[in-house]
Amino acid sequence: KIVKSLLVESSSLDGDAKGAMIPSEDGDVGGDANVGYFAMHIRRGDFQWPKMRISAEEWFENTRSWLVPGQLLYIATDEMNRTWFEPLTKHYQARFLDDYTELVGLSDLDPNYVGMIDQVVASRSKVFVGTYFSSFSAFIGRMRAYHGLSGKKMYYSHPDYWNETHSWVYPHSSYSAREFPLGWVGIDEDDEPSEK
C-alpha cells in the first residue's frame, strides 16, 4: 500500500513521474525501473562508522546530482528528529514511514517489522541512495537487484563510495558494507556468474 501510494502521489508531481507503473494488489511493479519516487536510507542512531555519519547538508550536497528537486523522496531512517532533515525537505517532498501510519495500520504493527517495511518501500524506488557500511542499506540494494533494478540506480551518500554498486566486483572485506552481484546474478544457474 505504501509503494502504491507513493507512485500515485508521484504521478501528480511532474511529467518525469507520469510513466510510473502502478503496482498490482500484491505490490508487484513488474521489475520496471520507471517507478516515480526516490528513496534514501539515512543511518544515524548507534551507527559505529563515524566517517559515514554525515550531516543532512552533506546528504543533500552529495546526492543532488542524482535526485530531481521537487520530486517525492522516501526516507528510511532511525533519526526521530524531523528537523534534522530540513536541508532535504527544502528541496524534496519528503515522506517517512510514519506518514503512512493510518493507511497501513502501523500503530497496530509489531515494531520489529518497521525496518523491514522501510526496506521494501525503499527497494522499489526509481533511485536509491544508502549509507555505506550499513547492512540495512546493502540489503535494500540486494532486494532492488532481485526486482531486476540496475545497480547503477543505487548510490551511497559518502563521496568516497558513491558508485560502489556500478561495477562488478567479487566479495571482499568488509562484507557487510555493501552487497555484491554474486548475491543475485545467476543464483539459479549451475555455472559461476561473472560480469559478462
Side-chain angles (χ1 to χ4, degrees):
K1 287 184 176 180
I2 297 171
V3 171
K4 184 174 184 176
S5 177
L6 284 163
L7 292 173
V8 169
E9 183 179 1
S10 72
S11 69
S12 67
L13 293 179
D14 71 20
D16 289 341
K18 297 266 188 243
M21 188 173 188
I22 306 302
S24 62
E25 287 301 312
D26 63 1
D28 182 32
V29 291
D32 188 344
N34 191 30
V35 293
Y37 63 95
F38 299 104
M40 288 180 173
H41 169 236
I42 299 178
R43 176 71 188 268
R44 304 274 302 147
D46 63 349
F47 198 41
Q48 66 178 336
W49 305 99
K51 181 179 177 182
M52 300 302 126
R53 258 183 91 112
I54 60 177
S55 69
E57 291 84 2
E58 289 172 293
W59 269 90
F60 173 70
E61 287 299 323
N62 295 349
T63 64
R64 67 184 182 158
S65 64
W66 313 316
L67 308 179
V68 178
Q71 280 283 6
L72 199 55
L73 173 64
Y74 181 81
I75 301 175
T77 187
D78 57 351
E79 176 61 61
M80 301 305 290
N81 178 5
R82 292 295 180 250
T83 61
W84 186 89
F85 297 96
E86 286 176 0
L88 294 165
T89 60
K90 285 191 310 191
H91 301 281
Y92 307 109
Q93 300 209 23
R95 301 292 179 268
F96 301 88
L97 184 60
D98 60 9
D99 293 329
Y100 301 94
T101 298
E102 288 184 36
L103 177 68
V104 297
L106 291 176
S107 55
D108 300 327
L109 184 70
D110 181 331
N112 292 312
Y113 296 138
V114 169
M116 290 181 263
I117 294 171
D118 258 344
Q119 286 179 311
V120 169
V121 175
S123 76
R124 300 313 301 222
S125 63
K126 176 171 30 180
V127 174
F128 172 69
V129 183
T131 301
Y132 197 74
F133 284 117
S134 167
S135 57
F136 189 93
S137 284
F139 191 68
I140 292 170
R142 182 178 285 220
M143 291 189 343
R144 290 173 60 78
Y146 289 156
H147 292 305
L149 301 173
S150 170
K152 293 183 179 175
K153 294 292 183 178
M154 178 177 172
Y155 302 90
Y156 287 105
S157 61
H158 196 280
D160 292 348
Y161 304 99
W162 71 272
N163 64 348
E164 284 287 311
T165 61
H166 294 200
S167 60
W168 181 278
V169 294
Y170 281 93
H172 55 79
S173 62
S174 158
Y175 296 109
S176 64
R178 54 157 293 174
E179 281 291 342
F180 298 90
L182 284 176
W184 58 84
V185 173
I187 58 176
D188 295 327
E189 306 295 325
D190 292 332
D191 297 326
E192 180 178 345
S194 69
E195 182 175 13
K196 296 171 177 54

